[in-house]
Amino acid sequence: MIHCRLARILLLIGLTALAACVRPSAPTEDDTVGGAPPAPARPASERLFTWAGRVDGLDLLKFQDQHGWVEHESHRPVEEVRCHFLQPLQAGVFPVVLIPERGRGPVRIIRQGDDYNAFTLLVEVDDTAFGGAGPYRFSVYANPSPRDPDPSFQLFAQVDDDVVVGITGNQVTTYKITGRPVGQLKYYFARPEGLDPATDYGLRIIEGRGTAELLPREDPRREVRIRIQDPAKGSAPYQLSLHPVVTATSSAEPVDPIGR
């Protein structure tokens, strides 16, 4: 009788240990940090990949094709990294949408993939405001919205406070209003001659924590001006693009200027 009871106890201990080691092959919908709100609704599009890891600091994640890697920036390196691709990151899927599913700090796209970075997606995970490593997970989806016309101009810069970017043809000039001068300035034109003075353009903000707007241009021959205002402390990365606006008098379908 004692031997039977002992056997049952050992069997229960073994089953409990086995259950603790087993993990579901796919994350569950309610797997969030204690007290965290449920993840936002997923877009009606295909999921491209899911990333998970334990973060204790600031890390830059890079994803290209079906590969991902970490560039550690501060505090302790990422642990327990898992990245599962369902389909590769190709030109046709950008711009993509990131949906956080687990984590206590901000997770954000700081640059979409494009021709100039070999279609590499850059994501920043920031856990510096918390103690110890925390679990993070997010999924990336193809953008369900219609694609914008190809950009005529793309700008990448570090902005602090208030600046104006002026574009005439293929020449770019920055004007500091307040704060520090623009840093890490890079720009690309779709045509060697730059912007067409007879074309109206719409502005798209791909990345940036402040505001950006096109200033009025009464004379088409004058420069196109973009004002960027970043009142938060320190500089921040911005990625902007200008797209041609098709007018209602043209043979193409009319579209509205592109906003944020």
Side-chain angles (χ1 to χ4, degrees), residues 3 13 18 28 32 60 62 72 99 113 164 167 176 179 202 206 214 227 247:
H3 291 294
I13 293 174
L18 179 60
T28 59
T32 57
L60 179 64
K62 296 186 176 183
H72 181 60
I99 303 296
V164 171
I167 309 144
K176 183 188 74 171
I206 301 171
L214 277 173
R227 184 174 184 179
T247 62

Side-chain angles (χ1 to χ4, degrees), residues 126-143:
D126 187 356
D127 192 75
T128 54
F130 305 92
Y136 284 78
R137 187 180 65 239
F138 61 84
S139 292
V140 170
Y141 295 78
N143 194 338

Side-chain angles (χ1 to χ4, degrees), residues 3 20 28 32 57 80 82 89-91 94 146 148 168 192 211 223 238:
H3 291 294
T28 59
T32 57
E80 303 176 16
R82 300 184 305 279
L89 291 175
Q90 297 177 339
F94 289 100
D148 299 323
T168 304
T211 62
E223 64 183 359
Y238 281 77

Side-chain angles (χ1 to χ4, degrees), residues 42-219:
R42 290 170 171 77
S45 62
E46 292 185 79
R47 184 173 61 172
L48 302 174
F49 70 89
T50 296
W51 184 92
R54 296 185 66 85
V55 180
D56 184 10
L58 182 66
D59 293 278
L60 179 64
L61 314 180
K62 296 186 176 183
F63 304 95
Q64 184 186 64
D65 192 34
Q66 297 188 73
H67 306 283
W69 64 97
V70 179
E71 289 190 2
H72 181 60
E73 297 191 354
S74 68
H75 209 49
R76 297 181 179 177
V78 179
E79 301 176 346
E80 303 176 16
V81 174
R82 300 184 305 279
C83 187
H84 177 56
F85 278 85
L86 299 175
Q87 54 180 300
L89 291 175
Q90 297 177 339
V93 304
F94 289 100
V96 297
V97 178
L98 185 150
I99 303 296
E101 297 171 345
R102 187 175 188 181
R104 57 194 181 183
V107 179
R108 63 190 185 114
I109 293 176
I110 63 171
R111 183 170 177 182
Q112 296 276 353
D114 51 46
D115 289 319
Y116 306 107
N117 68 359
F119 297 102
T120 304
L121 176 68
L122 275 61
V123 176
E124 183 182 76
V125 183
D126 187 356
D127 192 75
T128 54
F130 305 92
Y136 284 78
R137 187 180 65 239
F138 61 84
S139 292
V140 170
Y141 295 78
N143 194 338
S145 61
R147 298 192 66 195
D148 299 323
D150 291 335
S152 301
F153 171 77
Q154 294 191 72
L155 171 74
F156 309 92
Q158 287 279 341
V159 176
D160 174 41
D161 213 3
D162 195 351
V163 300
V164 171
V165 179
I167 309 144
T168 304
N170 59 3
Q171 301 297 314
V172 176
T173 306
T174 61
Y175 307 95
K176 183 188 74 171
I177 299 177
T178 58
R180 289 179 290 182
V182 171
Q184 301 182 21
L185 178 65
K186 297 180 182 179
Y187 54 87
Y188 307 94
F189 291 97
R191 308 184 313 157
E193 58 270 32
L195 298 184
D196 180 4
T199 300
D200 291 327
Y201 294 95
L203 174 67
R204 179 180 176 87
I205 305 174
I206 301 171
E207 172 63 20
R209 65 186 181 185
T211 62
E213 62 175 340
L214 277 173
L215 298 179
R217 185 172 56 141
E218 298 178 0
D219 186 347

